[in-house]
mmCIF file of all heavy atoms in Angstrom:
data_model
loop_
_atom_site.group_PDB
_atom_site.id
_atom_site.type_symbol
_atom_site.label_atom_id
_atom_site.label_comp_id
_atom_site.label_asym_id
_atom_site.label_seq_id
_atom_site.Cartn_x
_atom_site.Cartn_y
_atom_site.Cartn_z
ATOM 1 N N TRP R 244 101.249 102.980 87.443
ATOM 2 C CA TRP R 244 102.527 102.900 88.166
ATOM 3 C C TRP R 244 103.114 104.263 88.427
ATOM 4 O O TRP R 244 103.986 104.373 89.344
ATOM 5 C CB TRP R 244 103.500 101.967 87.440
ATOM 6 C CG TRP R 244 103.159 100.486 87.660
ATOM 7 C CD1 TRP R 244 102.672 99.647 86.662
ATOM 8 C CD2 TRP R 244 103.116 99.790 88.885
ATOM 9 N NE1 TRP R 244 102.385 98.419 87.234
ATOM 10 C CE2 TRP R 244 102.632 98.496 88.549
ATOM 11 C CE3 TRP R 244 103.375 100.133 90.174
ATOM 12 C CZ2 TRP R 244 102.494 97.537 89.579
ATOM 13 C CZ3 TRP R 244 103.255 99.129 91.165
ATOM 14 C CH2 TRP R 244 102.821 97.875 90.831
ATOM 15 N N GLY R 247 101.580 104.168 91.382
ATOM 16 C CA GLY R 247 101.862 103.033 92.222
ATOM 17 C C GLY R 247 103.238 102.900 92.811
ATOM 18 O O GLY R 247 103.424 102.503 93.940
ATOM 19 N N HIS R 248 104.208 103.299 91.994
ATOM 20 C CA HIS R 248 105.536 103.214 92.594
ATOM 21 C C HIS R 248 105.775 104.245 93.723
ATOM 22 O O HIS R 248 106.134 103.843 94.809
ATOM 23 C CB HIS R 248 106.678 103.253 91.556
ATOM 24 C CG HIS R 248 107.969 103.033 92.303
ATOM 25 N ND1 HIS R 248 108.352 101.748 92.700
ATOM 26 C CD2 HIS R 248 108.877 103.816 92.811
ATOM 27 C CE1 HIS R 248 109.474 101.853 93.404
ATOM 28 N NE2 HIS R 248 109.814 103.095 93.508
ATOM 29 N N VAL R 251 104.527 103.365 97.243
ATOM 30 C CA VAL R 251 105.369 102.599 98.174
ATOM 31 C C VAL R 251 106.159 103.566 99.028
ATOM 32 O O VAL R 251 106.326 103.324 100.239
ATOM 33 C CB VAL R 251 106.285 101.635 97.388
ATOM 34 C CG1 VAL R 251 107.167 100.833 98.336
ATOM 35 C CG2 VAL R 251 105.506 100.786 96.401
ATOM 36 N N TYR R 252 106.646 104.648 98.412
ATOM 37 C CA TYR R 252 107.446 105.576 99.195
ATOM 38 C C TYR R 252 106.538 106.491 100.104
ATOM 39 O O TYR R 252 106.970 106.879 101.211
ATOM 40 C CB TYR R 252 108.305 106.465 98.274
ATOM 41 C CG TYR R 252 109.301 105.525 97.593
ATOM 42 C CD1 TYR R 252 109.045 104.829 96.441
ATOM 43 C CD2 TYR R 252 110.577 105.308 98.248
ATOM 44 C CE1 TYR R 252 109.907 103.977 95.896
ATOM 45 C CE2 TYR R 252 111.462 104.409 97.668
ATOM 46 C CZ TYR R 252 111.130 103.744 96.532
ATOM 47 O OH TYR R 252 111.979 102.831 96.011
ATOM 48 N N VAL R 294 111.065 106.323 88.439
ATOM 49 C CA VAL R 294 111.429 104.915 88.213
ATOM 50 C C VAL R 294 110.258 104.022 87.979
ATOM 51 O O VAL R 294 110.419 102.771 87.918
ATOM 52 C CB VAL R 294 112.297 104.367 89.404
ATOM 53 C CG1 VAL R 294 113.468 105.193 89.627
ATOM 54 C CG2 VAL R 294 111.423 104.304 90.697
ATOM 55 N N TRP R 295 109.033 104.548 87.774
ATOM 56 C CA TRP R 295 107.865 103.712 87.775
ATOM 57 C C TRP R 295 107.944 102.577 86.750
ATOM 58 O O TRP R 295 107.342 101.556 86.961
ATOM 59 C CB TRP R 295 106.598 104.585 87.542
ATOM 60 C CG TRP R 295 106.390 104.975 86.119
ATOM 61 C CD1 TRP R 295 105.657 104.305 85.214
ATOM 62 C CD2 TRP R 295 106.918 106.110 85.461
ATOM 63 N NE1 TRP R 295 105.722 104.939 83.989
ATOM 64 C CE2 TRP R 295 106.486 106.054 84.062
ATOM 65 C CE3 TRP R 295 107.774 107.170 85.837
ATOM 66 C CZ2 TRP R 295 106.853 107.023 83.149
ATOM 67 C CZ3 TRP R 295 108.098 108.126 84.882
ATOM 68 C CH2 TRP R 295 107.654 108.063 83.585
ATOM 69 N N HIS R 297 110.021 100.533 86.055
ATOM 70 C CA HIS R 297 110.597 99.186 86.349
ATOM 71 C C HIS R 297 109.551 98.207 86.640
ATOM 72 O O HIS R 297 109.838 97.010 86.752
ATOM 73 C CB HIS R 297 111.605 99.367 87.580
ATOM 74 C CG HIS R 297 111.025 99.776 88.830
ATOM 75 N ND1 HIS R 297 111.733 100.480 89.763
ATOM 76 C CD2 HIS R 297 109.802 99.627 89.391
ATOM 77 C CE1 HIS R 297 111.018 100.726 90.802
ATOM 78 N NE2 HIS R 297 109.820 100.226 90.594
ATOM 79 N N HIS R 298 108.274 98.625 86.751
ATOM 80 C CA HIS R 298 107.187 97.663 86.841
ATOM 81 C C HIS R 298 106.771 97.137 85.447
ATOM 82 O O HIS R 298 105.873 96.324 85.377
ATOM 83 C CB HIS R 298 105.962 98.221 87.574
ATOM 84 C CG HIS R 298 106.328 98.603 88.998
ATOM 85 N ND1 HIS R 298 106.061 97.752 90.031
ATOM 86 C CD2 HIS R 298 106.848 99.700 89.546
ATOM 87 C CE1 HIS R 298 106.490 98.235 91.125
ATOM 88 N NE2 HIS R 298 106.896 99.468 90.910
HETATM 89 CU CU1 CU M 702 108.371 100.309 91.944
#
Side-chain angles (χ1 to χ4, degrees):
W244 286 116
H248 187 77
V251 183
Y252 294 87
V294 302
W295 78 92
H297 63 209
H298 294 270

